Amino acid sequence: AQSVTQPDIHITVSEGASLELRCNYSYGATPYLFWYVQSPGQGLQLLLKYFSGDTLVQGIKGFEAEFKRSQSSFNLRKPSVHWSDAAEYFCAVGSGGGADGLTFGKGTHLIIQP
Amino acid sequence: DAGVIQSPRHEVTEMGQEVTLRCKPISGHDYLFWYRQTMMRGLELLIYFNNNVPIDDSGMPEDRFSAKMPNASFSTLKIQPSEPRDSAVYFCASSLGGDNSPLHFGNGTRLTVT
């Protein structure tokens, strides 16, 4: 069965500092990987996705993620965070792009310090 | 594009009552998903449909939960009778289903059962 682990429940980062959110997955075949962001009271918004090809993928809002098959990881990064980045971030894995349900991690709550 | 529309945004009901949550997917999307989000369990896939047909309902917690999709533009998730442990945020999502088609989420329905 597929699974996703986000080891950090909370992360606090100073505004302007760099950010890395960790994600490890368990999946038997080549995974489809996603990062979503959820602001309070809102649904989930897609930040970026990896299906194949270049292992470094760029997303919206200045985020990027790198797929490392050898480490079963898909960590999310941003070089300089803004106060508006404070939110809950979810990593997800699936077997098809949008043709089956995704398995989500428990999420990482990002806090931005001024 | 109006996005995925869910109603109501908030629902408070007493234990034992019937609850119906509603979802309108993005026009043209062939796949519709119902997720439940709780602090303890995170995001769980309950059921998903393809072309209005339920494909996988293995995530539905018990017989008190039922979901229907009578047409391509409408789906319901019903809980009867409701229990306090059903309190959660319920999300609907839709997708085109292709490799390059991620899930698009609604803003969710926050259900409180007292």
Side-chain angles (χ1 to χ4, degrees):
Chain A
Q2 58 201 43
S3 65
V4 176
T5 301
Q6 293 180 247
D8 304 304
I9 298 174
H10 301 276
I11 281 191
T12 301
V13 178
S14 297
E15 190 169 15
S18 64
L19 170 71
E20 182 168 28
L21 302 183
R22 295 183 291 165
C23 172
N24 292 97
Y25 67 90
S26 173
Y27 190 71
T30 300
Y32 290 73
L33 293 160
F34 307 81
W35 275 99
Y36 282 84
V37 61
Q38 183 181 28
S39 298
Q42 302 296 313
L44 280 72
Q45 181 185 20
L46 179 69
L47 285 176
L48 48 78
K49 59 186 183 291
Y50 170 78
F51 291 154
S52 63
D54 192 346
T55 56
L56 183 64
V57 293
Q58 303 296 320
I60 62 171
K61 305 185 180 186
F63 285 92
E64 66 178 26
E66 186 171 12
F67 170 57
K68 293 186 178 180
R69 184 186 300 275
S70 62
Q71 298 177 19
S72 297
S73 70
F74 188 57
N75 294 348
L76 181 71
R77 300 194 294 250
K78 186 170 184 178
S80 176
V81 298
H82 186 262
W83 64 266
S84 60
D85 293 325
E88 192 83 16
Y89 290 80
F90 294 91
C91 182
V93 65
S95 58
D100 62 2
L102 299 179
T103 298
F104 285 84
K106 291 287 183 66
T108 296
H109 184 57
L110 176 62
I111 300 166
I112 307 295
Q113 283 183 335
Chain B
D1 183 356
V4 176
I5 300 173
Q6 291 186 247
S7 64
R9 286 299 309 273
H10 302 274
E11 176 79 44
V12 180
T13 191
E14 292 183 347
M15 176 176 158
Q17 297 298 306
E18 177 179 296
V19 175
T20 299
L21 311 181
R22 297 172 176 79
C23 175
K24 177 179 169 55
I26 293 173
S27 178
H29 281 193
D30 295 328
Y31 289 80
L32 184 140
F33 305 82
W34 281 101
Y35 280 85
R36 177 172 67 177
Q37 184 180 38
T38 61
M39 289 293 293
M40 290 298 294
R41 301 173 69 89
L43 277 155
E44 303 172 277
L45 176 64
L46 300 178
I47 185 171
Y48 77 93
F49 296 83
N50 178 25
N51 291 324
N52 313 337
V53 176
I55 302 301
D56 183 355
D57 66 354
S58 60
M60 296 286 262
E62 48 196 275
D63 292 345
R64 297 185 297 105
F65 285 69
S66 63
K68 294 182 179 179
M69 193 165 185
N71 57 62
S73 60
F74 184 65
S75 176
T76 59
L77 178 67
K78 186 176 293 186
I79 308 173
Q80 166 63 21
S82 58
E83 297 182 3
R85 59 194 169 115
D86 301 330
S87 297
V89 181
Y90 291 81
F91 286 101
C92 177
S94 69
S95 79
L96 285 169
D99 275 358
N100 202 29
S101 173
L103 273 62
H104 296 261
F105 283 80
N107 286 334
T109 295
R110 180 174 294 277
L111 173 64
T112 302
V113 183
T114 61

